[in-house]
Amino acid sequence: MQTSQIRSTNALAHPVVGVLWLGLGAVVAGLVTRPASADASGPSLTVGLLTLFVAATVATYSLRYMRADPHATGFFARLAALVAAVLTVLFTGNLIVLGIAWCASGWILAGLIGHNPTWHEAGAASRRARLAFLVGDAALLGALGILGWQAGNLQIDVALAGAPMLSPILATAAALLLVVAAAARCAQPPFCNWLLSSMTAPTPVSAVMHAGLVNAGGFLLIRFAPLLEASSIARLFAIAVGLGGAIYGIGIMIVRPDIKRSLAGSTVSQMGFMILTCGLGAYAAALWHIVAHGLFKAWLFLGSGSAIGMKPRKPAAPLTGGTAMVAAAAAAGAAIVVLSSGAGSANSLPLLLGFATAIAALTLSLRAQTPMRTNVMLVLTLVALFVLHASGLALAEVAIGHDAAPPAPKWAVLTLLAAFLGTWIWQQRMAAGRGLPLALYVRLINAGTLSAGHKGEQQ
């Protein structure tokens, strides 16, 4: 009986998988054959390709993962509906359609989180997600309502063209609502608990979130950049929200012992950094971040099951003395270069932080007295990553149509560098066995945990 159930599940699932792969092939073929003069939205096409590729990969993976699940048919139906809703968000030009599709994608995702209706933990996580999405959806609808009302037109391009002419109060209100909507979907504090508790869902659900769902807030800020730029208060708010989320997510990632919630904490941190770059006006860097992080984190979630039962690695020895001074001096030197160069833009900030991270990784390797061959390979890998990142930024700028990043504010560079060094010192303290203050540790390790009667996770 179980064998026949597995066969019927696969038979129902194959059409969904086939349609996703055919859709991806059609989009790629359209990009290759379209005339060079054809007008198309670069960010929409870029995130659309990410959505179709990740969703098709997850659906293929799910054929085996969900083969014995009695609710597999509903899972694949929701997955197809979710992809359709996300693609509608990406490509629609109407404010009403965008609002409906945005709300629908959140509610469908909440349904996937509560995939198993007999499991109380999944139901509680689904309700928590719906509550967070309700706040974010209301904020987005409010922002879209202000835009459409002031422009007297429901077309997004027309409404955005009139954004700079909005009164300061209305522009600030709409932009702040836009940032709140992005923060709720990107699981930034205080909305991050929906993502952390959603780890009770099947692993494919955690992976498919990165196909234009949890990172949809970044696309929203890129798409409505003229509105965000019309309010300096909203941009400062986005920077503050992103920086807070980045630091908070790193803390969760460090303390959580389970692989999926550790990855979820990393996602909170990365989404915070993405919102921060949008607040700084580095839209090309944010678009590149959406694609790179979406592919990498979906892959990590799909492979998270293989991490269970693995022997934990011994943590690296903390840096001391001169080694730590060299790392700090190198990071500070990079900041001085950016600050002193008149050509420095907000898009250079990811490269700056990447350089600081590379210095920290190299100094850790030297401190551990690894073989010279390993250090050489590490340096070559870091160089390759920098080249890839720089090329990715170039492609993202082409997709957006222009380099929208203004000169990097000096205070922003110093704030980011201070946050990086503070986090790095924090990690070094933990590696030295000093740990965290008890209240902070308890707060971080319990982040996203359901009530006492509904504890548990599904790996």
Side-chain angles (χ1 to χ4, degrees):
M1 183 176 180
Q2 186 177 3
T3 303
S4 63
Q5 183 183 23
I6 293 174
R7 289 176 179 172
S8 64
T9 297
N10 283 341
L12 288 170
H14 274 303
V16 174
V17 179
V19 168
L20 290 175
W21 282 111
L22 285 175
L24 177 63
V27 172
V28 172
L31 286 175
V32 173
T33 58
R34 74 187 180 99
S37 59
D39 184 21
S41 173
S44 297
L45 288 174
T46 304
V47 182
L49 285 173
L50 170 69
T51 299
L52 284 171
F53 178 74
V54 173
T57 303
V58 170
T60 305
Y61 173 91
S62 301
L63 287 175
R64 178 174 292 273
Y65 187 94
M66 305 293 293
R67 65 188 184 276
D69 193 313
H71 309 288
T73 303
F75 169 83
F76 283 100
R78 287 192 183 97
L79 179 61
L82 184 63
V83 173
V86 172
L87 293 178
T88 302
V89 169
L90 297 178
F91 292 102
T92 185
N94 186 278
L95 291 172
I96 294 179
V97 175
L98 172 63
I100 294 174
W102 179 274
C103 296
S105 65
W107 283 86
I108 296 170
L109 176 59
L112 280 172
I113 293 173
H115 165 70
N116 189 345
T118 63
W119 195 16
H120 296 297
E121 291 87 346
S126 178
R127 289 190 294 271
R128 178 175 283 181
R130 284 192 174 95
L131 181 60
F133 293 157
L134 183 62
V135 176
D137 295 348
L140 177 63
L141 294 177
L144 298 182
I146 293 174
L147 270 179
W149 170 54
Q150 286 295 300
N153 196 300
L154 295 177
Q155 293 302 309
I156 295 177
D157 291 340
V158 176
L160 288 178
M165 278 78 78
L166 289 174
S167 66
I169 295 178
L170 286 178
T172 299
L176 287 175
L177 289 172
L178 189 74
V179 175
V180 170
R185 189 58 62 94
C186 291
Q188 296 301 288
F191 306 105
C192 59
N193 284 342
W194 79 259
L195 178 63
L196 299 170
S197 61
S198 72
M199 296 301 103
T200 56
T203 295
V205 177
S206 302
V208 82
M209 287 180 189
H210 296 82
L213 269 300
V214 73
N215 44 17
F219 171 80
L220 188 70
L221 295 180
I222 295 172
R223 183 72 178 86
F224 288 85
L227 177 60
L228 186 63
E229 292 175 353
S231 171
S232 59
I233 295 177
R235 292 184 64 180
L236 289 174
F237 181 60
I239 292 172
V241 169
L243 185 59
I247 297 175
Y248 186 68
I250 289 175
I252 296 173
M253 180 187 67
I254 291 174
V255 303
R256 287 297 305 189
D258 53 308
I259 181 65
K260 287 183 67 175
R261 276 220 175 94
S262 177
L263 291 176
S266 172
T267 294
V268 172
S269 177
Q270 292 296 317
M271 293 300 97
F273 185 70
M274 179 189 65
I275 290 180
L276 185 148
T277 55
C278 288
L280 291 172
Y283 303 112
L287 181 61
W288 162 244
H289 195 169
I290 290 173
V291 176
H293 177 261
L295 292 174
F296 183 58
K297 193 55 68 68
W299 170 67
L300 285 179
F301 269 111
L302 291 180
S304 61
S306 61
I308 300 175
M310 293 179 62
K311 183 179 180 181
R313 296 181 179 180
K314 183 179 179 181
L319 300 184
T320 57
T323 312
M325 291 298 295
V326 169
I336 292 173
V337 170
V338 173
L339 291 173
S340 60
S341 63
S345 71
N347 278 334
S348 65
L349 294 180
L351 289 175
L352 169 64
L353 293 185
F355 176 78
T357 304
I359 292 296
L362 185 59
T363 49
L364 280 172
S365 178
L366 294 174
R367 179 70 176 84
Q369 297 181 350
T370 55
M372 180 59 66
R373 181 176 58 183
T374 303
N375 291 329
V376 171
M377 290 299 297
L378 175 62
V379 172
L380 292 178
T381 302
L382 293 174
V383 170
L385 289 175
F386 277 126
V387 172
L388 178 63
H389 188 82
S391 61
L393 283 178
L395 291 174
E397 289 175 6
V398 171
I400 291 177
H402 65 286
D403 182 5
K410 295 182 179 181
W411 63 265
V413 178
L414 293 176
T415 301
L416 289 178
L417 185 62
F420 170 81
L421 291 178
T423 305
W424 182 52
I425 293 172
W426 180 10
Q427 290 176 314
Q428 290 301 305
R429 284 178 55 84
M430 294 191 67
R434 296 186 179 93
L436 297 172
L438 180 60
L440 178 59
Y441 179 83
V442 171
R443 171 80 178 181
L444 291 173
I445 202 169
N446 288 327
T449 303
L450 299 172
S451 61
H454 299 292
K455 291 182 180 178
E457 294 178 5
Q458 175 178 329
Q459 300 290 346

